[in-house]
Amino acid sequence: MARRTGFELCLNAGRGLFAGARLGGASSSSAGWMTCPAMYTQTRGAKKSTRRVEVMLTQDIPNLGRDGEVLEVKPGRARNHLVPLKMARYATADRLDEAAARRASWADQTETIVTADDTGETDAARVALNILTGSKLVVKRIASKDTKNPRVPVDAAALVAEILRQRKLQVDRRTLLVDKSLSTFGDHVVPLWIDNSVAPTQRVLTVTVEPKR
């Protein structure tokens, strides 16, 4: 006798069900359905999507970015949260000039990110700044097989997380003046927005993006 496939077993079980219904019996057909093999299987370990879309923030958002900053986020976050709540717009070509104008106004704002007063916090802030900028911050990313660049770019939120993990410093997201995500391997210079009483001259953080082995 030829070996029957799972589909044939299911088909015969179905015929038995309808035959049992016509004859007024259901016990034999029920057993047939219980032993019917699964016709569909679920594949585990599916690859997570790494697709990102560019948005332009229209206001300061804690732990994400500043007004006018163009950054990459997951499509669902843009579609379901940022854009409907008017916290961001999609970064189309005609909005890049608007984004640049918003970023140019950052220097004119009077808000300070690293504050200092007469109680000795100035010295503490300087120590923290030296720890932050004293050496390169190394961030590892998996390389894309197609572009040979990082599969997931390094954005400001990722830098804040790495600074906390490696330097044990809690840095406000807005301190990092990142125009766009770091999407290539190598060294990148990230300017810092620091109060003049702490650092009279411009300070920068050097970030090295390395392939993850």
Side-chain angles (χ1 to χ4, degrees), residues 14-212:
R15 290 172 177 169
L17 174 66
F18 289 108
R22 289 194 298 269
L23 296 175
S27 58
S28 62
S29 60
S30 298
W33 280 107
M34 291 297 292
T35 58
C36 179
M39 298 179 62
Y40 300 97
T41 58
Q42 179 179 6
T43 302
R44 296 183 178 181
K47 183 179 179 181
K48 294 183 179 180
S49 173
T50 57
R51 191 169 73 90
R52 297 290 187 274
V53 296
E54 284 193 342
V55 296
M56 179 196 72
L57 299 184
T58 57
Q59 64 185 63
D60 290 352
I61 302 177
N63 299 322
L64 183 60
R66 299 182 59 192
D67 180 17
E69 187 168 357
V70 177
L71 44 79
E72 295 177 338
V73 298
K74 292 182 179 180
R77 186 175 188 181
R79 180 177 62 253
N80 301 325
H81 179 62
L82 297 176
V83 174
L85 296 180
K86 300 186 184 302
M87 302 171 70
R89 301 175 184 172
Y90 289 107
T92 56
D94 57 330
R95 289 175 178 160
L96 294 180
D97 290 341
E98 178 185 352
R102 288 175 178 265
R103 293 194 300 271
S105 66
W106 290 355
D108 299 330
Q109 298 178 11
T110 58
E111 180 184 4
T112 59
I113 302 305
V114 178
T115 58
D117 54 27
D118 297 332
T119 62
E121 291 187 1
T122 301
D123 292 338
R126 287 172 180 167
V127 171
L129 181 60
N130 290 334
I131 295 174
L132 175 61
T133 61
S135 60
K136 294 181 179 180
L137 182 73
V138 179
V139 181
K140 296 184 181 294
R141 282 289 187 268
I142 298 176
S144 170
K145 294 181 179 180
D146 298 329
T147 64
K148 308 302 181 183
N149 289 322
R151 183 185 300 173
V152 178
V154 181
D155 57 13
L159 291 177
V160 170
E162 285 295 329
I163 292 171
L164 179 60
R165 185 179 69 85
Q166 298 185 31
R167 308 284 166 86
K168 309 303 180 186
L169 295 175
Q170 183 69 54
V171 177
D172 191 300
R173 162 64 192 80
R174 296 169 295 174
T175 304
L176 308 173
L177 303 181
V178 182
D179 288 340
K180 60 181 180 179
S181 301
L182 312 181
S183 57
T184 59
F185 289 114
D187 291 343
H188 302 268
V189 176
V190 178
L192 302 177
W193 189 23
I194 306 296
D195 182 56
N196 290 335
S197 63
V198 177
T201 59
Q202 176 70 59
R203 300 293 292 271
V204 298
L205 170 65
T206 302
V207 179
T208 302
V209 183
E210 294 183 352
K212 188 174 184 179

